[in-house]
Amino acid sequence: TPTTNKQVLGSSADFWIWNTASMVTGTTPAYEGSNVLAMKYTAPGQWFGGGVASRQVHDMSNFTSGNLKFRIKVPANVAFKVGIQDTYTNSNYVTFPANTTTYGLVRTGDWAQATVPVADLRGSLVAIQSLSSLFSFVSVDGALPAAGFDMAIDDIVWECGTSAACQAVASSSSAVATSSSRSSSSSVAA
């Protein structure tokens, strides 16, 4: 999925596992390509989380009417949240409950894709013009996993929306780059 802009781990961004007592690097192969965020959850009953920290601030205001798309492979019985953070310490998350189709993500345990409107992801406080993290994930309080599991995330892409500002710069994009992205989009790297 080609993009016009992407983050590359180790160069323009870094990936951090936030609770190394519960999660370590995993071995799940990428959905496509060779890059993937692969993790292994090893401590039932503990929280998990991680994220891609940008080395530069990102102005994603042209994407306010767009979507964040990503592919994930995680057991259907694992609840999780996906979010973004700004440089003012604000963050917002959307929840993917266990065994429930949410934002188009069909929970089967196999690779599947979610499409989250940036308006939902942003919430009411996040300064979309000053993002420090374009993608993060965390467990859901009160729904911590009771068993170990493998998890992988790929193809994290911010898609441009339909606003006039977005259309005026249709070739610009920003993303967290895993293995791919697409035009008028931005990807977050793995």
Side-chain angles (χ1 to χ4, degrees):
T1 311
T3 60
T4 56
N5 191 3
K6 67 180 179 180
Q7 291 187 311
V8 178
L9 295 183
S11 175
S12 59
D14 299 290
F15 175 67
W16 298 100
I17 293 176
W18 297 337
N19 183 0
T20 56
S22 70
M23 190 166 265
V24 297
T25 301
T27 58
T28 302
Y31 174 77
E32 65 179 357
S34 59
N35 298 314
V36 65
L37 301 176
M39 289 85 39
K40 180 179 281 295
Y41 177 76
T42 60
Q46 287 198 28
W47 70 277
F48 65 85
V52 177
S54 301
R55 293 185 181 180
Q56 301 273 333
V57 173
H58 287 273
D59 178 355
M60 300 301 286
S61 55
N62 285 341
F63 293 82
T64 57
S65 63
N67 298 300
L68 170 72
K69 288 188 172 187
F70 65 94
R71 294 190 186 276
I72 188 166
K73 184 173 185 177
V74 64
N77 66 347
V78 174
F80 64 95
K81 298 187 285 188
V82 167
I84 57 175
Q85 292 83 40
D86 68 24
T87 58
Y88 305 103
T89 71
N90 299 307
S91 62
N92 194 60
Y93 289 83
V94 295
T95 302
F96 291 85
N99 301 308
T100 304
T101 298
T102 307
Y103 292 109
L105 180 67
V106 179
R107 304 297 304 273
T108 65
D110 290 325
W111 281 106
Q113 186 175 54
T115 302
V116 181
V118 171
D120 291 359
L121 192 62
R122 177 187 192 183
S124 61
L125 293 176
V126 173
I128 200 83
Q129 76 280 5
S130 187
L131 292 184
S132 58
S133 175
L134 300 177
F135 186 87
S136 58
F137 65 93
V138 69
S139 54
V140 174
D141 293 341
L144 298 177
F149 62 88
D150 290 309
M151 172 181 188
I153 302 168
D154 202 355
D155 293 347
I156 304 166
V157 178
W158 283 67
E159 287 187 320
C160 201
T162 58
S163 70
C166 180
Q167 298 307 311
V169 290
S171 64
S172 77
S173 59
S174 188
V176 178
T178 55
S179 60
S180 66
S181 303
R182 66 188 236 170
S183 77
S184 295
S185 63
S186 176
S187 71
V188 180

